[in-house]
Amino acid sequence: MEKSAKELNKIVCLACGSVMNIETKKCSHCNSPVSIRKKNSLEKSWVYLITSVILFFPANLLPITYTSYLGSAPTGDTIMSNIVLLWEHKSYFIALVIFLASIITPLFKIIVLIYLLFNQKPKKPPIIQTKIYHFIHFIGRWSMIDVFVVALLGALINGKLASITAGAGIFAFTGVVIFTMIATESFDIRFLWDNYRDYARSRN
Amino acid sequence: MQEAEIKKTLHWLWLLPIFAMLIALYLAYKSISNLGPEITIELASANGLEAGRTKIRYRSLEVGTVKDITLTPDFQRVIIHAQMKKMAEPLLKADSEFWVVSPQVGLTGITGLNTLLSGNFIMISPGKSATYSSKFKGLDQSPLIPSSVAGIRVYLEAESNAGLNVGSAIYYRGFRVGRIDYLNWNKDFSKIEAQAFIFSPYDKLINNKTKFYNASGIDFKLGMRGLEVNMPSVETVLLGGLAIQTEKSDEPFLPANTVFKVYKSQQEIIEKPVYKKANYAMRFDNSIRGLRIGSLVEFQGIELGRVSDIKLIYDDNKNLALNSVILELEFERMKAANKPVDENSFSKLIKNGLYATLETANFFSGEKLIRLNINPNNTQELFYCEYSNYPLIPSQDSGFDFMVNQGNEILAKVKNLPLDELIASANSAVQSLEKVAKDLEGTGKNLNKTLNSISRASNSVEKMMNNLNKEIPSVSKQFKHTMQSIDSESNIYFKFNKTLDDLSRMAQGISRLMRQLDAKPNSMIFGK
């Protein structure tokens, strides 16, 4: 079983990737603070995860856009009703994209994080977990597309013919995206490897 | 596992989820407390309405959302279940009105176009009742006058629908003060019932002296003065409209169920005193084409009554068919100089030569009227018409036929003039005058002069005779021609009469002169 970098008394700077001795407090290349494992990873991850789960409800129940045509009174739409409208207007692709990016992705992230947070002690090498962790780490930011779309629409479409304004739901949704991103960022996948190593070694 | 160097636990970080939870709970609470009552609206169709999407609006403000659409148990109508907002609760009165707003194109305008893009919505017009209700029957179309508008409702009754259309306006002195919003037959289809709404502050105009009349329609009058056209606004011509005539009344309070009669025109309203009527009969042997029930009866140019009945009667005994016309005369229209006028006065007039003629009232329509005249020379007995038992007013031919007859009579008279003899007598008179002149030639210049003027006179008389001979046929032709193109106005008619009388008198005078000359040729010089 290979030794982890921690056992080799090496520390990696998460900002620039350079490896140095374990006692250094600041990275020798980029000067950012280094620590062997992310500080308070579990606690922080839980906090942010719970926050985003709480915020997930208003994000989907409150309207994220108010649209008005020809000066008529604005009608509010939630994420789901927007998707349904797009689908009904035969914009199948866009409807699917938004569904994927705004509903599937946050849910996926949350579920994955919950799973990872609960299964800290794998019996097998956590290869798949690492892979999905990196996956959600990578796609996390893409849920912000929806927020940008609403922001751009609200800013551009602002006339008598049609006008769009953002609703309270978009703030809750932004909170969901940001907090899942922070939760993912705070989570240290290496703990799984540490635990696995401990388990594997204790088995032998 | 965490490092031995345990950082301080971030218990303070847990404020964040707690904070988020509080916000979420607050929002949930707010939206739940914002929920008002659930109501049902019964409509004929759910045209354009979507469950979960369609809004209910009041003054363009969203006050509710349609949650679900179901059918009534008998599948005849739809029931809209809607969730109202809390703030809308005071709007839900027992007489609140709901209707679907969708694009409408009508004669009064185009409305609801914005619903083409935003989808139909339901509009509410709150009622004034005090009771709250949650079950409503929606209207099939938007009410013309929302219940929020101030004013009063008037009930109208009309014989025909002239000027009455749902949506037509009601004018007072050309100013729009109200609208008709309901039009229907009454139960036995004898009258048309209408309801109109008079907007405040014009509702003060309505009192028990108010009269409604039909203001629509273009009035054409072609008369001796020329063409008179009266046209109200184009909207009134197209849509109809009523107008109000009113005056101050001592009785300001109007009972709520007052029904106003709609008059056909402003003329009808002009207060006509009611006169007593009596019936008289007339008989015509010729065509009375153009005479109708309701045709005018005139005396000296004043309307005295109307034709009330026209019958074609076949008399078996006499074996002829004739027209029996009944006139209804308001004899009280005549004011008496010394005593009140009654039916007997008329009978007296008939005895004193009252007769009736059939005249053309209107060139273009060929309408006829009956004109009463008096010819004091024609006193007669009062007869009663055997077919109708009313006093009989004798009729005479008049107008065209009469002119032709008169013309013919003149022709006959002129023909009967002994013209040849007159000419022969004139000739012989002249000859004898010449003889006398010759005899008297020696007597002096005066005699000469006199004789010359006499011969001139006799020449012109001869010329005149010749002209007369030539002219009479053309004169009579001209008479006919003139008579054809002249209205039988009284004064021309009388003038003609006079002219004809003059002509006949002149012919008589000439024949007398000739006779005199014949009897005593020298009467021109020596006198009778």
Side-chain angles (χ1 to χ4, degrees):
Chain A
M1 178 124 238
E2 300 100 359
K3 287 203 180 169
S4 68
K6 182 171 149 192
E7 289 155 359
L8 290 175
N9 287 335
K10 295 288 180 205
I11 213 172
V12 68
C13 168
L14 285 172
C16 63
S18 46
V19 182
M20 56 217 100
N21 275 329
I22 200 166
E23 286 307 323
T24 28
K25 297 295 172 209
K26 291 261 170 83
C27 172
S28 42
H29 284 200
C30 64
N31 222 29
S32 40
V34 290
S35 60
I36 186 68
R37 292 286 181 262
K38 292 180 190 171
K39 305 256 171 67
N40 301 96
S41 157
L42 285 179
E43 191 171 11
K44 281 206 277 194
S45 293
W46 270 117
V47 166
Y48 294 125
L49 188 62
I50 290 174
T51 310
S52 59
V53 169
I54 292 174
L55 286 177
F56 192 71
F57 290 98
N60 275 3
L61 295 174
L62 291 176
I64 62 164
T65 49
Y66 290 98
T67 46
S68 84
Y69 293 107
L70 288 179
S72 72
T75 44
D77 284 301
T78 64
I79 301 177
M80 208 55 213
S81 76
N82 263 328
I83 293 169
V84 168
L85 269 179
L86 282 167
W87 187 272
E88 280 172 359
H89 284 129
K90 304 211 181 181
S91 301
Y92 303 124
F93 179 65
I94 299 186
L96 278 176
V97 165
I98 303 223
F99 182 64
L100 213 55
S102 296
I103 298 202
I104 297 292
T105 307
L107 274 176
F108 184 65
K109 285 199 293 187
I110 290 173
I111 290 173
V112 164
L113 278 173
I114 291 180
Y115 171 75
L116 288 174
L117 282 169
F118 274 126
N119 294 347
Q120 287 280 309
K121 299 193 173 141
K123 307 281 187 263
K124 294 204 177 105
I127 300 174
I128 295 181
Q129 288 91 317
T130 314
K131 284 208 165 93
I132 46 176
Y133 170 75
H134 281 123
F135 178 65
I136 65 170
H137 187 230
F138 174 70
I139 65 162
R141 62 202 67 189
W142 288 100
S143 291
M144 282 302 276
I145 281 183
D146 208 8
V147 183
F148 294 146
V149 164
V150 172
L152 280 173
L153 286 177
L156 291 174
I157 301 181
N158 205 358
K160 285 278 180 277
L161 201 58
S163 88
I164 296 184
T165 17
I170 199 67
F171 298 102
F173 183 75
T174 314
V176 168
V177 176
I178 289 181
F179 285 124
T180 51
M181 278 166 71
I182 301 178
T184 317
E185 194 64 30
S186 307
F187 184 80
D188 202 332
I189 195 72
R190 295 174 284 193
F191 281 132
L192 271 70
W193 287 100
D194 292 339
N195 293 339
Y196 170 69
R197 281 205 179 80
D198 291 341
Y199 169 77
R201 291 215 182 96
S202 66
R203 278 278 303 270
N204 291 347
Chain B
M1 293 277 262
Q2 288 277 22
E3 288 231 316
E5 185 191 326
I6 294 175
K7 294 279 180 180
K8 50 183 188 292
T9 47
L10 306 166
H11 290 306
W12 54 269
L13 201 57
W14 287 93
L15 284 176
L16 187 60
I18 292 173
F19 184 58
M21 175 75 79
L22 286 175
I23 291 182
L25 283 175
Y26 168 71
L27 287 172
Y29 165 74
K30 210 160 85 87
S31 80
I32 289 179
S33 75
N34 209 16
L35 287 177
E38 286 186 22
I39 63 170
T40 59
I41 308 167
E42 201 178 290
L43 285 175
S45 105
N47 182 26
L49 305 179
E50 268 180 274
R53 239 188 119 64
T54 307
K55 306 282 176 225
I56 301 183
R57 292 195 197 277
Y58 175 57
R59 296 188 195 263
S60 288
L61 189 62
E62 183 185 322
V63 292
T65 314
V66 170
K67 281 269 164 290
D68 195 12
I69 306 179
T70 58
L71 289 171
T72 52
D74 58 353
F75 297 111
Q76 295 298 319
R77 289 163 79 78
V78 297
I79 299 185
I80 313 280
H81 302 265
Q83 172 76 52
M84 304 300 285
K85 291 197 181 164
K86 191 100 177 118
M87 60 146 132
E89 204 173 328
L91 300 173
L92 303 170
K93 301 288 181 210
D95 56 346
S96 298
E97 296 166 325
F98 290 84
W99 66 95
V100 178
V101 176
S102 58
Q104 304 262 2
V105 176
L107 209 48
T108 47
I110 301 179
T111 58
L113 272 187
N114 56 335
T115 58
L116 282 174
L117 285 178
S118 68
N120 292 352
F121 59 89
I122 299 179
M123 183 118 77
I124 171 178
S125 172
K128 301 193 191 105
S129 149
T131 48
Y132 165 82
S133 168
S134 71
K135 279 195 184 350
F136 300 93
K137 267 197 165 27
L139 307 175
D140 289 329
Q141 61 184 64
S142 73
L144 269 176
I145 290 144
S147 29
S148 53
V149 174
I152 65 167
R153 182 163 288 277
V154 293
Y155 298 90
L156 306 168
E157 199 176 70
E159 307 271 311
S160 82
N161 78 331
L164 293 174
N165 263 320
V166 174
S168 20
I170 302 197
Y171 296 94
Y172 176 58
R173 303 202 194 186
F175 204 81
R176 182 197 292 208
V177 297
R179 240 144 71 123
I180 298 180
D181 68 348
Y182 173 78
L183 199 58
N184 209 344
W185 285 100
N186 69 349
K187 288 204 177 51
D188 53 2
F189 295 101
S190 57
K191 282 207 193 325
I192 295 181
E193 298 177 333
Q195 285 183 27
F197 196 81
I198 310 287
F199 303 121
S200 145
Y202 312 109
D203 50 349
K204 295 197 208 86
L205 291 167
I206 312 293
N207 55 38
N208 66 342
K209 287 224 169 86
T210 307
K211 296 212 185 343
F212 289 80
Y213 62 93
N214 173 19
S216 68
I218 305 179
D219 236 331
F220 276 102
K221 265 206 273 264
L222 183 57
M224 292 307 287
R225 268 184 250 116
L227 184 63
E228 267 181 46
V229 179
N230 249 325
M231 189 177 107
S233 70
V234 176
E235 186 198 349
T236 316
V237 171
L238 289 176
L239 290 183
L242 301 181
I244 309 181
Q245 182 176 291
T246 185
E247 46 189 60
K248 287 224 189 324
S249 162
D250 318 314
E251 178 66 50
F253 176 69
L254 198 65
N257 299 338
T258 315
V259 178
F260 292 92
K261 174 174 170 207
V262 176
Y263 292 90
K264 291 212 188 71
S265 71
Q266 195 171 15
Q267 307 292 85
E268 275 192 28
I269 301 182
I270 296 170
E271 287 282 329
K272 291 185 210 168
V274 177
Y275 296 114
K276 281 206 257 181
K277 300 185 174 86
N279 290 322
Y280 294 88
M282 288 182 62
R283 273 202 325 242
F284 289 95
D285 296 329
N286 319 340
S287 154
I288 54 166
R289 173 182 238 250
L291 194 69
R292 271 186 271 276
I293 292 183
S295 290
L296 197 58
V297 179
E298 246 187 29
F299 184 37
Q300 310 271 53
I302 308 260
E303 176 186 330
L304 203 55
R306 298 253 161 196
V307 171
S308 66
D309 194 18
I310 301 178
K311 280 206 199 45
L312 184 62
I313 295 187
Y314 172 63
D315 191 329
D316 200 12
N317 302 334
K318 300 205 192 133
N319 204 21
L320 42 83
L322 43 81
N323 293 310
S324 163
V325 176
I326 312 283
L327 311 176
E328 195 180 63
L329 301 182
E330 295 167 341
F331 50 84
E332 277 184 347
R333 281 185 185 263
M334 297 175 62
K335 299 259 181 261
N338 359 19
K339 14 181 230 199
V341 173
D342 63 354
E343 301 180 31
N344 297 328
S345 323
F346 240 81
S347 313
K348 267 203 219 160
L349 278 174
I350 295 179
K351 290 194 195 144
N352 272 337
L354 180 77
Y355 66 97
T357 54
L358 192 65
E359 310 277 349
T360 306
N362 188 331
F363 277 125
F364 292 95
S365 63
E367 240 178 276
K368 295 262 194 318
L369 55 80
I370 302 231
R371 182 171 283 133
L372 302 176
N373 309 291
I374 298 194
N375 188 348
N377 301 333
N378 286 355
T379 55
Q380 57 215 344
E381 280 295 316
L382 178 70
F383 291 109
Y384 282 81
C385 173
E386 60 239 24
Y387 309 118
S388 51
N389 261 337
Y390 292 125
L392 189 63
I393 300 182
S395 62
Q396 277 190 22
D397 281 339
S398 67
F400 181 54
D401 294 329
F402 184 60
M403 293 297 180
V404 170
N405 283 341
Q406 292 282 71
N408 284 335
E409 272 179 50
I410 293 173
L411 272 180
K413 272 205 186 131
V414 171
K415 259 199 207 154
N416 288 336
L417 284 177
L419 278 179
D420 297 330
E421 291 175 31
L422 284 179
I423 292 172
S425 315
N427 270 339
S428 63
V430 168
Q431 280 173 7
S432 42
L433 280 177
E434 282 184 351
K435 260 204 243 144
V436 170
K438 276 208 190 107
D439 293 341
L440 292 175
E441 210 177 332
T443 27
K445 278 198 266 178
N446 288 346
L447 269 178
N448 244 341
K449 267 198 211 154
T450 322
L451 289 173
N452 279 335
S453 51
I454 288 174
S455 76
R456 255 186 273 133
S458 64
N459 277 338
S460 45
V461 167
E462 194 183 296
K463 259 199 228 149
M464 188 184 70
M465 283 298 136
N466 285 334
N467 283 339
L468 251 186
N469 218 3
K470 276 193 229 136
E471 296 268 296
I472 279 179
S474 62
V475 162
S476 73
K477 254 200 238 150
Q478 251 181 6
F479 270 170
K480 270 196 192 165
H481 184 72
T482 316
M483 281 181 258
Q484 277 176 350
S485 55
I486 284 183
D487 184 18
S488 51
E489 281 290 316
S490 308
N491 51 355
I492 296 185
Y493 171 87
F494 283 133
K495 270 201 190 138
F496 263 172
N497 247 346
K498 247 181 56 123
T499 316
L500 294 170
D501 284 342
D502 286 345
L503 260 182
S504 75
R505 261 186 265 125
M506 185 184 80
Q508 286 172 4
I510 291 179
S511 74
R512 258 188 274 130
L513 170 66
M514 287 305 140
R515 258 184 273 137
Q516 193 186 301
L517 280 180
D518 214 6
K520 199 161 175 242
N522 54 3
S523 60
M524 281 203 105
I525 300 175
F526 297 114
K528 278 199 202 153

